[in-house]
Amino acid sequence: MHSKYATALSCLKDPTLPPIDQNTMRFYNRIALYDDFGWLRCEAASEKMANNIGNHSTCLLANHGILTAAPTIAQSFDNFYYIDKACETYLSALSTGKELNISSNEVAE
């Protein structure tokens, strides 16, 4: 998917999504990052992405967007919807220029 907020996050030098609310916490330590570019569409890239996502259900494609995977289309869409909401919250909070209130690892997990 190439949603506005997930794509914007994928364009940051550090696309880490810190745990600042319930949506960002849902993905805390649960997002794979794929930054092996130099391709458009090819079978080798698909295999690399599949290997990269590992046991995560969400993969941020650097400078591109987001990929979600799940046993059903409904679960995959649910992951997509909430990762995009998490990205929106994070980028909106960053836009204030104020310090983020990042939750502890224990709370985020």
Side-chain angles (χ1 to χ4, degrees), residues 83-95:
I83 188 64
D84 198 51
K85 284 296 187 191
C87 293
E88 179 181 13
T89 298
Y90 175 54
L91 294 172
S92 296
L94 281 179
S95 74

Side-chain angles (χ1 to χ4, degrees), residues 35-97:
D35 62 359
D36 184 15
F37 259 85
W39 54 271
L40 289 175
R41 290 188 177 114
C42 68
E43 200 170 300
S46 297
E47 190 172 323
K48 284 182 182 180
M49 283 188 281
N51 290 332
N52 181 263
I53 199 168
N55 63 352
H56 298 293
S57 62
T58 306
C59 183
L60 191 66
L61 308 173
N63 303 97
H64 191 83
I66 199 86
L67 174 89
T68 62
T72 69
I73 293 170
Q75 289 171 309
S76 188
F77 179 80
D78 188 70
N79 288 338
F80 165 73
Y81 179 83
Y82 284 104
I83 188 64
D84 198 51
K85 284 296 187 191
C87 293
E88 179 181 13
T89 298
Y90 175 54
L91 294 172
S92 296
L94 281 179
S95 74
T96 67

Side-chain angles (χ1 to χ4, degrees), residues 7-29:
T7 300
L9 180 67
S10 80
C11 294
L12 298 180
K13 181 135 182 105
D14 178 6
T16 304
L17 192 61
I20 59 171
D21 78 325
Q22 62 191 14
N23 290 325
T24 55
M25 287 182 208
R26 175 179 173 165
F27 297 97
Y28 181 68
N29 287 332

